[in-house]
Amino acid sequence: MARSRTHAFALPAALLLGLYLVVLLAPLALAWAQGLPARHWRDELSSALALLAFSGVLVEFLLSGRFRTISGQIGIDATMRVHQLMARAFTVFILLHPFLYVTPFMNRPLPWDETARYTLGLTPTTFLTGAIAWIALMVMVVFAIFREQRSGSYEGWRAAHGFAAVVVAGFGAHHTLEAGRYSAHPWLWWFWILLLAVAAATLIWVYLVKPLLQLRQPFAVRSVEPLGQRIWELSIAPEQRPLDFAAGQFVWLNVGHSPFSLAENPFSIASAPADGDHLAFVIKEAGDFTSRIGGVQPGTRCYLDGPHGHLTIPGSEVPGIALIAGGVGIAPVLSILRQLHHERDERPIVLLYGNRVREQIVYADELHDMQNDLNLQVENALAEPPPDWHGHRGVIDADLLRTILDRPDAKAWRYIICGPQPMIEGVEKTLLSFGVSSGNVISEQFYYD
Ligand SMILES: Cc1cc2nc3c(=O)[nH]c(=O)nc-3n(C[C@H](O)[C@H](O)[C@H](O)COP(=O)(O)OP(=O)(O)OC[C@H]3O[C@@H](n4cnc5c(N)ncnc54)[C@H](O)[C@@H]3O)c2cc1C
């Protein structure tokens, strides 16, 4: 069944963490195993930070490569969060690296100092490559942290971020291999070559192989229809092969551009696999691309990167399903509900659907009608309700969540949450405080880099 497809090759969190630590710490172990005489503790700390940070920086390529083996179980949002947080840590390590050394720099090692214990071998070239990598990393991370405050397109930022990453890796590799006291040893040298090859292969995969594969699976726009206040339904159909996906997943969608361009945006698929080959999206106007969505012409060529995402229908061992959607977070939830409807799933299902105003509620009739065929309870909440509103007033809060949590088996239910970050955090906190285990709560946020 579709629901198992997402996890086919995805590694569990514990294994990923183990592999990550092994790769991160391997250069330290390989340096220590060389048994070189110890230098001043500040020199050793500086080398250790640089070794750690450089292996981490190279692994960052893998983390941002949208590999389902990595993100399939933990979620691509969690993967990107690790990418961002670790980048900050590595930047601090590299920032400190040149300033910690107490040993004097020398153009060439002294003849009697074969283990480079009393001098740091640093030629003008290795100094320059180190300085370029150092500056590029600082600029890249500062720009990433303050991206939201800057003007300019997201695609432009992505291109600059990718270019700076290549500069850091390339110049950093030269500096590490040529100037590093420990990296000159064959073990560590080969370790770096291997990791650099993995980073390069990631770039080739992302920017060359994947677009080539996308060319072989084109889609075309079928229709674009208004659904609600600044919300549209985009429907696309395969020109050749349909997409194999599970209800609740998302894709990076490229509408009207070459697959080699960076013009693509992540959107959840709102249709269900059982709906047929076409894919429907619920798109809210939010910026450059989305505010022009209403003008997209039928027939426009599209390419997809995906499917991604881990919001999927739980197996039959789960006694009930709570779907909690805020605003356009309804998209993956719709896909799940539509699939459950096709399967005539008999489990109790509750949908809590929060919006600001009534005009933002989409597919109200379809959701209402599904209650006839499914054991489904739909609860709408409006933060700014009109006077004649009969649903819940306010946001999705603990009171509303109690409508689900009052059931005897509520702790064993699966809670699927999608919407704005503050809503996700609030709901997760409430669920955990009611004793629901974190393993039964899955969420996806619509915002990350
Ligand atoms: C997993 C996921 C699923 C999503 N599903 C939906 C959905 O079903 N319906 C919906 O309306 N919105 C969805 N979004 C949000 C949607 O992707 C953004 O609103 C959209 O990309 C904005 O693009 P823009 O060009 O209009 O605006 P911009 O001004 O270019 O971007 C606004 C913000 O959107 C994000 N963004 C833009 N492009 C990308 C990109 N290529 N990769 C990652 N983030 C990007 C960035 O945070 C950016 O700051 C989803 C987001 C994610 C991460």
Side-chain angles (χ1 to χ4, degrees):
M1 224 173 2
R3 66 193 59 171
S4 61
R5 233 176 275 141
T6 43
H7 296 162
F9 306 108
L11 299 179
L15 184 56
L16 280 171
L17 181 65
L19 288 173
Y20 188 56
L21 289 177
V22 166
V23 178
L24 219 57
L25 299 176
L28 290 187
L30 292 173
W32 177 77
Q34 292 171 30
L36 294 180
R39 299 168 297 175
H40 191 283
W41 68 267
R42 282 184 49 174
D43 293 56
E44 296 302 346
L45 178 63
S46 176
S47 292
L49 291 179
L51 291 171
L52 256 178
F54 194 53
S55 62
V57 163
L58 295 179
V59 176
E60 292 283 270
F61 283 81
L62 269 179
L63 292 181
S64 57
R66 301 180 193 163
F67 292 105
R68 274 171 276 178
T69 310
I70 296 176
S71 61
Q73 281 205 23
I74 61 170
I76 208 157
D77 45 357
T79 311
M80 293 309 289
R81 199 72 199 125
V82 173
H83 169 76
Q84 292 160 349
L85 292 177
M86 294 313 288
R88 290 169 200 198
F90 301 141
T91 305
V92 173
F93 293 176
I94 296 287
L95 181 77
L96 295 173
H97 168 64
F99 301 110
L100 282 172
Y101 282 115
V102 288
T103 305
F105 293 88
M106 288 271 178
N107 204 335
R108 271 190 217 97
L110 297 170
W112 47 267
D113 185 21
E114 279 174 9
T115 60
R117 191 176 183 190
Y118 302 104
T119 52
L120 291 174
L122 202 63
T123 64
T125 315
T126 52
F127 175 81
L128 189 67
T129 52
I132 292 173
W134 191 91
I135 292 167
L137 184 64
M138 299 307 135
V139 171
M140 183 170 102
V141 174
V142 168
F143 270 63
I145 292 171
F146 295 103
R147 180 176 62 79
E148 283 299 314
Q149 278 85 57
R150 291 180 52 250
S151 55
S153 74
Y154 185 84
E155 289 74 30
W157 173 80
R158 244 186 94 191
H161 189 73
F163 177 73
V166 171
V167 170
V168 172
F171 285 90
H174 180 272
H175 178 80
T176 306
L177 294 172
E178 295 296 319
R181 182 193 194 213
Y182 296 103
S183 297
H185 191 282
W187 296 342
L188 203 44
W189 195 87
W190 277 109
F191 174 81
W192 291 129
I193 297 299
L194 188 71
L195 215 51
L196 282 162
V198 170
T202 302
L203 290 178
I204 293 169
W205 169 257
V206 170
Y207 295 110
L208 191 67
V209 180
K210 240 196 221 185
L212 284 172
L213 293 175
Q214 287 174 15
L215 273 178
R216 295 171 54 195
Q217 198 178 12
F219 285 70
V221 171
R222 283 200 329 183
S223 60
V224 187
E225 305 283 347
L227 277 180
Q229 193 183 71
R230 299 173 61 216
I231 304 174
W232 300 81
E233 184 199 71
L234 171 75
S235 173
I236 65 174
E239 291 188 348
Q240 293 165 18
R241 257 178 324 120
L243 183 78
D244 190 15
F245 73 102
Q249 289 195 289
F250 72 94
V251 292
W252 262 270
L253 176 66
N254 167 334
V255 180
H257 298 275
S258 151
F260 293 96
S261 89
L262 296 178
E264 49 169 15
N265 299 73
F267 293 107
S268 297
I269 303 168
S271 49
D275 285 339
D277 288 350
H278 82 281
L279 302 174
F281 300 91
V282 178
I283 298 183
K284 182 177 175 185
E285 293 179 21
D288 279 357
F289 166 68
T290 48
S291 55
R292 285 183 274 113
I293 191 77
V296 171
Q297 293 302 312
T300 306
R301 179 69 59 83
C302 307
Y303 297 100
L304 308 180
D305 171 6
H308 296 279
H310 63 303
L311 285 194
T312 48
I313 299 174
S316 54
E317 72 287 355
V318 173
I321 305 170
L323 301 164
I324 302 155
V328 80
I330 192 68
V333 163
L334 267 172
S335 174
I336 289 171
L337 273 173
R338 286 169 169 165
Q339 185 69 21
L340 290 168
H341 188 231
H342 278 285
E343 293 175 5
R344 290 291 187 270
D345 199 292
E346 289 176 354
R347 287 176 283 187
I349 306 163
V350 176
L351 167 64
L352 303 186
Y353 181 20
N355 279 289
R356 190 172 54 80
V357 292
R358 180 153 52 191
E359 292 69 28
Q360 291 170 330
I361 300 175
V362 294
Y363 301 107
D365 293 342
E366 182 181 342
L367 291 171
H368 181 267
D369 292 349
M370 275 186 194
Q371 295 181 106
N372 299 329
D373 304 320
L374 286 171
N375 184 0
L376 169 68
Q377 176 190 346
V378 178
E379 303 287 348
N380 277 291
L382 285 184
E384 295 171 20
D388 62 341
W389 176 248
H390 297 299
H392 296 271
R393 291 167 177 269
V395 295
I396 297 176
D397 55 12
D399 280 345
L400 188 48
L401 284 167
R402 229 171 255 124
T403 57
I404 323 174
L405 292 160
D406 274 349
R407 295 155 200 264
D409 59 352
K411 287 184 188 159
W413 278 36
R414 180 65 48 83
Y415 295 82
I416 298 176
I417 316 166
C418 192
Q421 187 57 15
M423 183 208 93
I424 293 182
E425 280 170 11
V427 170
E428 281 179 348
K429 225 167 119 188
T430 309
L431 291 174
L432 297 182
S433 73
F434 276 95
V436 176
S437 79
S438 58
N440 280 336
V441 180
I442 50 173
S443 63
E444 188 160 77
Q445 52 169 311
F446 276 4
Y447 171 84
Y448 58 84
D449 295 334

